[in-house]
C-alpha cells in the first residue's frame, strides 16, 4: 500500500505526536472535572485533526466528544488514559451516531499511544464516547476517501488493469451490505489480485466468474495494511470481487484497497 502511507499513515503519526504533547500539557494543567455525563466539541488543530484533554470526577462518568465529518471517508481515533504521575496507558472508546446511539459494542475499540482505530464514516455528526477515566487525552483525524464499490453486482465498478481502487465500509450501515467491483479478461490468463484493509473488524473478499460462479473466498483481512496477494489462473470472461463484513452480525467499518494485474 505504498500509495497510502503518505496520506492516512502520515496523519496517524501526526496524531500520536500531538497526543504525546497533550499528555505533557495535561500534567501541568490545573485539574477541572467534567460532569458525570458531558458533551464537548473537540478542538480543531487544522488539517482535519481534532484534540481534547479531559478529566472526570473520581474517574467516573461519560464524555461524548463531537466530531463533524463533511465528506465520506475515514475517522482515525487515537488516545490515552493518563495516570496521576503522567504515565499514559490504553483505554476503550466507542463511536456513536448523531443521536449518541452506539455504532459498536462497548470496549470493541481500544486505543493507546501505540494503537489507533480507523472507522469508515458517511458525512454527518459523530460522538466518540469515553467512560470512567480520571485523566485522558483524545485525538481524531478526518480524511476523505473515495468509495468506488458498487452497491450490487449490476452496478459493480470496473477496475482498470493495474489500477488500485479504494472502498469504504461505513459505520451504521446494514451489516449485510456489500461492495462490488469487476474486471474483464479477453483470454485465459494468470492474474494477481492484491488486497488490503484497515478497520474495526475483518472484511472478506470473494471472487465470482467463470469457474467460480458460487464465489470463492480469497481472504479475510483485518488491519492488514500490507497487500495480501493471491495468484490465480482464470478463464476468459468477466470477474466480480465482492467485499463484505466477515460476519453479518459484525459492526465492522473501515476502508480497503483492491488491485489486479496480469502475470
Amino acid at each position: 500500500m505504498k500509495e497510502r502511507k503518505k496520506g492516512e499513515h502520515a496523519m496517524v503519526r501526526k496524531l500520536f505526536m500531538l497526543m504525546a504533547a497533550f499528555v505533557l500539557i495535561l500534567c501541568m494543567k490545573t485539574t477541572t472535572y467534567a460532569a458525570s455525563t458531558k458533551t464537548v466539541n473537540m478542538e480543531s488543530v487544522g488539517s482535519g485533526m481534532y484534540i481534547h484533554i479531559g478529566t472526570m470526577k473520581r474517574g467516573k462518568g461519560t464524555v461524548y466528544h463531537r466530531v463533524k465529518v463533511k465528506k465520506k471517508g475515514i475517522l482515525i481515533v487515537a488516545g490515552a488514559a493518563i495516570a496521576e504521575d503522567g504515565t499514559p496507558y490504553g483505554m476503550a472508546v466507542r463511536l456513536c451516531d448523531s443521536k449518541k446511539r452506539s455504532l459498536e459494542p462497548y470496549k470493541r475499540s481500544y486505543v493507546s499511544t501505540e494503537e489507533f482505530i480507523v472507522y469508515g464514516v458517511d458525512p454527518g455528526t459523530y460522538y466518540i464516547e469515553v467512560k470512567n477515566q480520571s485523566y485522558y487525552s483524545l485525538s481524531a483525524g478526518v480524511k476523505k476517501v473515495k468509495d468506488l464499490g458498487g452497491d450490487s453486482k449490476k452496478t459493480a465498478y470496473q477496475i482498470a488493469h493495474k489500477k488500485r481502487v479504494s472502498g469504504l465500509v461505513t459505520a451504521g450501515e446494514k451489516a449485510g451490505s456489500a461492495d462490488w467491483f469487476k474486471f474483464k479478461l479477453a483470454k485465459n490468463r494468470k492474474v494477481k489480485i492484491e488486497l488490503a484493509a484497515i478497520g474495526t473488524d475483518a472484511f472478506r473478499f470473494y471472487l465470482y466468474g467463470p469457474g467460480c460462479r458460487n464465489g470463492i473466498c480469497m481472504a479475510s483481512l483485518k488491519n492488514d495494511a500490507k497487500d495480501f496477494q493471491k495468484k490465480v489462473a482464470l478463464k476468459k470472461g468477466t470477474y466480480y470481487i465482492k467485499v463484505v463484513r466477515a460476519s453479518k452480525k459484525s459492526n465492522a467499518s473501515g476502508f480497503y484497497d483492491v488491485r489486479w494485474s496480469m502475470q
Side-chain angles (χ1 to χ4, degrees):
M1 300 200 28
K2 295 179 180 178
E3 297 177 11
R4 187 160 64 203
K5 290 182 180 179
K6 294 181 180 179
E8 287 83 349
H9 291 185
M11 176 182 286
V12 172
R13 286 195 295 272
K14 288 181 181 179
L15 285 173
F16 285 147
M17 291 174 66
L18 283 170
M19 187 173 61
F22 301 150
V23 170
L24 294 175
I25 293 171
L26 179 59
C27 294
M28 297 183 288
K29 287 173 67 70
T30 300
T31 301
T32 58
Y33 291 103
S36 57
T37 300
K38 184 178 181 180
T39 300
V40 299
N41 287 314
M42 296 189 75
E43 179 184 351
S44 173
V45 291
S47 300
M49 290 186 286
Y50 303 85
I51 62 97
H52 181 77
I53 299 169
T55 58
M56 297 180 200
K57 190 174 183 179
R58 293 185 296 276
K60 295 185 180 297
T62 303
V63 181
Y64 293 96
H65 305 79
R66 185 185 292 112
V67 177
K68 292 186 177 181
V69 177
K70 295 181 179 180
K71 295 182 179 181
K72 195 170 188 178
I74 56 173
L75 173 63
I76 306 169
V77 178
I82 303 163
E84 290 187 2
D85 63 0
T87 302
Y89 56 96
M91 67 178 183
V93 299
R94 182 160 60 171
L95 185 67
C96 301
D97 66 13
S98 60
K99 296 182 179 180
K100 298 180 182 176
R101 295 175 300 197
S102 176
L103 294 172
E104 61 177 339
Y106 182 53
K107 292 188 177 179
R108 168 60 62 84
S109 296
Y110 183 86
V111 296
S112 70
T113 54
E114 297 179 352
E115 296 181 64
F116 60 93
I117 196 76
V118 177
Y119 302 100
V121 288
D122 288 306
T125 298
Y126 294 87
Y127 293 90
I128 303 167
E129 178 188 285
V130 175
K131 281 187 176 182
N132 305 330
Q133 298 294 341
S134 295
Y135 309 90
Y136 69 93
S137 64
L138 190 70
S139 302
V142 179
K143 182 175 178 61
K144 178 183 176 182
V145 174
K146 287 184 178 181
D147 185 18
L148 297 177
D151 294 332
S152 66
K153 191 174 183 179
K154 290 183 179 180
T155 60
Y157 180 86
Q158 184 162 330
I159 310 173
H161 183 233
K162 293 187 177 181
K163 178 69 175 179
R164 185 183 299 278
V165 298
S166 59
L168 284 166
V169 177
T170 57
E173 70 178 2
K174 291 182 179 180
S177 62
D179 290 346
W180 289 86
F181 300 86
K182 67 180 179 180
F183 63 91
K184 297 181 179 180
L185 293 177
K187 58 182 180 179
N188 297 352
R189 294 295 299 259
K190 190 172 184 179
V191 171
K192 180 172 71 174
I193 298 175
E194 300 170 65
L195 309 168
I198 295 180
T200 62
D201 209 337
F203 307 141
R204 284 185 182 161
F205 298 79
Y206 290 90
L207 180 67
Y208 295 83
C212 51
R213 298 189 183 279
N214 294 324
I216 57 172
C217 182
M218 295 185 291
S220 183
L221 305 178
K222 178 184 177 181
N223 292 337
D224 294 277
K226 185 177 180 180
D227 285 337
F228 168 89
Q229 298 182 3
K230 186 174 183 67
K231 295 181 179 180
V232 288
L234 300 177
K235 298 178 181 179
K236 172 184 175 180
T238 300
Y239 289 85
Y240 295 86
I241 296 174
K242 180 182 180 182
V243 186
V244 296
R245 292 173 171 85
S247 167
K248 290 186 177 180
K249 294 182 179 180
S250 172
N251 300 86
S253 72
F255 75 118
Y256 58 86
D257 283 349
V258 180
R259 182 177 184 268
W260 74 279
S261 59
M262 291 183 287
Q263 301 297 289

